[in-house]
Amino acid sequence: MQLKPLNTYTITLMLFFTIIILFFSGFLEFPSITTSITSPVKAPNFPVKTIPDPFTDLFVAFKKWDSQVGCVQFREKHKNLGSNGSASLQVVDGDVGCSELKMEHVNVLVKGWTWIPGNLDNLYSCRCGLSCLWTKSSVLADKPDALLFETTTPPLQIYEAMGVTKAQAKAILSLQCRLNSKLNKFCCIPYAAQKNYLGELASISTAAGSALDSRHNGDPLRVYMDLEAGRKRSGREDLFISYHAEDDVQSTYAGALFHNGRNYHVSRRKDNDTLVYWSSSRCLADRNQLAKSLLSLLPHHSFGKCLNNVGGLDMALSFYPECANDASLKPKWWDHLHCAMSHYKFVLAIENTWTESYVTEKLFYALDSGSVPIYFGAPNVLDFVPPHSIIDGNKFKSMEELASYVNYLASDPVAYAEYHAWRRCGVLGNYGKTRAASLDTLPCRLCEAVSRKGGRNARA
């Protein structure tokens, strides 16, 4: 007998009862309506685990990053960085403030200095049509609009311009020393010499006393520069230069003038067995302890006097002879600094002092060498560097966590290459502003500040 075909209604009813039976018997489970599906949460700074892929050729890492990520994605990710002003950096661009300038030309005479490069001396053509002569020569700037002091505070060097001799100035300081210490043996000049000055002091105390703390009308402005962490004003300057945006003129450590005349050979080969470069010869206890706690967890080379593990000082050229700067001259450690750094995937950079905005050449040297800095220092360091360019050691819970992250990057060419993407893709963030506020541009920016005050014509 021929079977009748089942209609659609019958088949649907049979399937429904089958599902009900399976559900109550436990063969099928459905997610609860109140249960949310969550993805695993990874610890800060740690990516999802990947298969280790050690590499030594930076170009290979770049090629893999280009194929898997690329500049378009990187630019999109960081498109808003640098678009807003940062309180950590002064604005240095455009025609802002041009109407405030009172002079078309400014002469700056550098009176006291240590590390200000000699090749900074120049005649500059600045914005707003301002020209600026920056020189250490009193012949070229015989009537300066401003005197710049970097190693010493302004007073003694300007007394002669005020009609007060150096001998008179020393006598005043000696009297201050005597009154403060009450002990003649601590005075700045011998007691016998002080007695000879007493009569002279009586006649000049009023004029020279005021000269200690203020300038006279028609005198050049006094500029004091202190880029150390303490950045303490002298109290006798008209303009103050420091690394901080709150002061009159800011000068960051990011400029190229901090390292002129060095070997800039950058190696494309990265050591895969020794990951970290560190060099320090000022062995501060706290910095040494921090460095030791991290470097004990990572393969490294420590040059310099502190924690040296390379067999002595000045060993970099033995390791990397291509870093020699001039074979005819006795090498100095700073000649080959960048070149030696470039052979390592990471450079440890620890500031002497950790304070806001104090970001020194220790960090920028590493960036310039094509390595990834592991940084300990200023809490607002990210305001000064390109996006995703450094490892901020302060963000990790422990040295073990930081070391694990460094080891991960060293074996992942794509993740490591991401730290170089800012340079390859032209995504600078605030770093462009950091360079614009560096020592490289200081002459023009100082001359603008002097011009706004009117130079010698500024009221005392």
Side-chain angles (χ1 to χ4, degrees):
M1 181 178 69
Q2 187 176 5
L3 295 176
K4 294 182 179 180
L6 296 175
N7 58 35
T8 303
Y9 175 79
T10 304
I11 294 173
T12 303
L13 191 61
M14 291 173 65
L15 287 173
F16 173 75
F17 281 109
T18 301
I19 292 172
I20 291 296
I21 293 170
L22 290 173
F23 175 75
F24 283 105
S25 64
F27 282 98
L28 290 178
E29 291 185 5
F30 293 94
S32 168
I33 296 176
T34 59
T35 302
S36 61
I37 301 174
T38 59
S39 59
V41 179
K42 60 185 179 181
N45 299 307
F46 278 88
V48 177
K49 289 185 178 180
T50 58
I51 299 174
D53 183 14
F55 64 97
T56 57
D57 192 333
L58 200 54
F59 286 180
V60 171
F62 289 166
K63 187 175 181 179
K64 290 184 177 181
W65 184 86
D66 289 342
S67 64
Q68 296 183 34
V69 184
C71 286
V72 173
Q73 183 175 324
F74 187 80
R75 292 190 188 105
E76 179 64 23
K77 181 178 179 180
H78 300 286
K79 63 182 179 181
N80 294 324
L81 288 180
S83 60
N84 298 321
S86 169
S88 300
L89 292 162
Q90 292 181 351
V91 177
V92 187
D93 56 12
D95 295 328
V96 178
C98 288
S99 61
E100 300 174 1
L101 300 185
K102 300 176 182 178
M103 306 167 63
E104 295 182 352
H105 178 77
V106 172
N107 291 321
V108 174
L109 179 60
V110 181
K111 294 289 289 184
W113 68 90
T114 51
W115 49 260
I116 295 179
N119 59 358
L120 202 61
D121 280 31
N122 207 344
L123 178 62
Y124 295 86
S125 178
C126 308
R127 69 189 190 103
C128 305
L130 178 69
S131 57
C132 170
L133 176 64
W134 172 292
T135 180
K136 295 175 181 176
S137 170
S138 59
V139 175
L140 299 180
D142 61 308
K143 293 188 67 175
D145 300 293
L147 302 175
L148 172 62
F149 302 90
E150 182 244 324
T151 57
T152 55
T153 52
L156 276 177
Q157 286 85 346
I158 63 170
Y159 286 151
E160 290 180 352
M162 295 179 175
V164 181
T165 67
K166 286 186 178 180
Q168 292 169 333
K170 288 181 179 178
I172 294 172
L173 294 179
S174 296
L175 181 59
Q176 287 181 327
C177 180
R178 181 181 178 186
L179 293 174
N180 290 336
S181 68
K182 303 295 184 182
L183 296 171
N184 292 336
K185 64 180 180 179
F186 291 117
C187 290
C188 304
I189 58 175
Y191 179 73
Q194 289 178 11
K195 291 181 65 176
N196 295 333
Y197 283 126
L198 289 179
E200 192 175 8
L201 283 174
S203 62
I204 66 167
S205 59
T206 301
S210 63
L212 285 169
D213 296 312
S214 62
R215 56 178 285 275
H216 293 175
N217 288 329
D219 292 329
L221 295 176
R222 298 167 301 175
V223 183
Y224 181 47
M225 181 174 180
D226 184 2
L227 296 188
E228 296 300 327
R231 75 180 233 279
K232 185 177 181 180
R233 290 176 178 265
S234 71
R236 293 183 285 271
E237 71 280 330
D238 302 290
L239 288 168
F240 182 53
I241 303 171
S242 85
Y243 61 85
H244 204 285
E246 290 181 353
D247 295 315
D248 298 321
V249 182
Q250 183 180 25
S251 181
T252 69
Y253 283 79
L257 284 169
F258 275 101
H259 41 73
N260 278 338
R262 296 182 181 174
N263 187 317
Y264 273 88
H265 170 78
V266 174
S267 174
R268 63 181 282 186
R269 297 287 176 181
K270 296 290 185 181
D271 195 323
N272 204 47
D273 298 318
T274 308
L275 299 181
V276 183
Y277 171 103
W278 190 54
S279 179
S280 177
S281 291
R282 187 181 177 189
C283 304
L284 303 176
D286 290 343
R287 183 167 60 183
N288 264 20
Q289 182 58 40
L290 189 153
K292 187 176 181 180
S293 64
L294 177 62
L295 296 177
S296 64
L297 303 172
L298 294 166
H300 67 280
H301 280 156
S302 179
F303 298 89
K305 296 178 181 178
C306 310
L307 307 179
N308 187 288
N309 71 342
V310 293
L313 303 177
D314 298 323
M315 294 298 293
L317 290 182
S318 299
F319 284 48
Y320 313 109
E322 69 273 21
C323 292
N325 199 22
D326 189 336
S328 64
L329 299 175
K330 182 179 179 180
K332 301 180 179 65
W333 66 268
W334 58 81
D335 291 338
H336 48 266
L337 185 68
H338 294 80
C339 178
M341 284 181 177
S342 73
H343 291 79
Y344 299 83
K345 292 180 179 179
F346 306 95
V347 172
L348 179 59
I350 308 174
E351 301 289 7
N352 298 347
T353 304
W354 299 9
T355 188
E356 180 187 281
S357 298
Y358 186 61
V359 183
T360 71
E361 76 285 352
K362 296 177 181 64
L363 173 60
F364 297 116
Y365 284 170
L367 280 179
D368 289 345
S369 72
S371 294
V372 176
I374 304 171
Y375 180 78
F376 289 90
N380 61 334
V381 62
L382 297 183
D383 287 346
F384 294 86
V385 296
H388 200 73
S389 61
I390 73 168
I391 300 171
D392 187 351
N394 296 313
K395 303 298 184 184
F396 290 79
K397 296 177 182 178
S398 66
M399 288 298 177
E400 289 75 15
E401 185 182 69
L402 173 56
S404 295
Y405 183 66
V406 170
N407 278 318
Y408 153 74
L409 286 179
S411 297
D412 189 324
V414 175
Y416 181 82
E418 183 103 355
Y419 278 88
H420 296 272
W422 66 271
R423 185 189 298 108
R424 301 179 66 235
C425 302
V427 181
L428 300 184
N430 275 337
Y431 187 51
K433 299 175 184 177
T434 305
R435 295 296 294 256
S438 72
L439 184 68
D440 297 359
T441 64
L442 179 60
C444 277
R445 292 185 294 112
L446 175 58
C447 282
E448 288 179 21
V450 172
S451 178
R452 281 193 291 270
K453 284 183 171 289
R456 285 176 169 267
N457 295 323
R459 295 185 62 181

